Structure formats: structure tokens, C-alpha cells
Amino acid sequence: QGPISGVNKDIPVLQCHGDCDPLVPLMFGSLTVEKLKSMINPANVTFKTYSGMMHSSSIEEMMDVKQFIDKHLPPVD
């Protein structure tokens, strides 16, 4: 399918991936981010990899997610 139109083409996306993931190889994450960049504004797509991380999460990743949320979503009162 072609690019997404309307307001969604400018949606910010954070994609995170461990470089040692045995279930979803890093190559698939890389292919996915390239597909996303072809569908929405590529400047709004961030792909972060985490050294040594398997199919799990890490404190570093959760800090990046928090920073992304704080930047792109309004504060909750």
C-alpha cells in the first residue's frame, strides 16, 4: 500500500529493538522501520536498538519510551 494521508502521515513513531532478539531478528525490525518511513514522514520515525537486549525490555529502553511519551503527549492532570 502507498503512503498514509491526512493527519496520520505526521504521527511520531518510536520503534525499539534488541540486537540479540532470538524471536524477532533485528533484520525484521530494520525492514519494518524502512516500510514505516515509506508510509509516513520519515523524519518522524525513530528506530532505536539496544546492545545485548533479547526479546525483552531494558531500563534504557523504558527511559527512551518515557522521554518519547513526555515529548509527544500532553501531560495528564
Side-chain angles (χ1 to χ4, degrees), residues 3-19:
I4 294 171
S5 62
V7 70
N8 289 332
K9 71 178 181 190
D10 289 321
I11 191 167
V13 173
L14 171 64
Q15 181 182 340
C16 302
H17 207 103
D19 68 355

Side-chain angles (χ1 to χ4, degrees), residues 41-52:
N41 182 349
N44 292 341
V45 178
T46 302
F47 183 57
K48 294 191 143 249
T49 59
Y50 301 89
S51 179

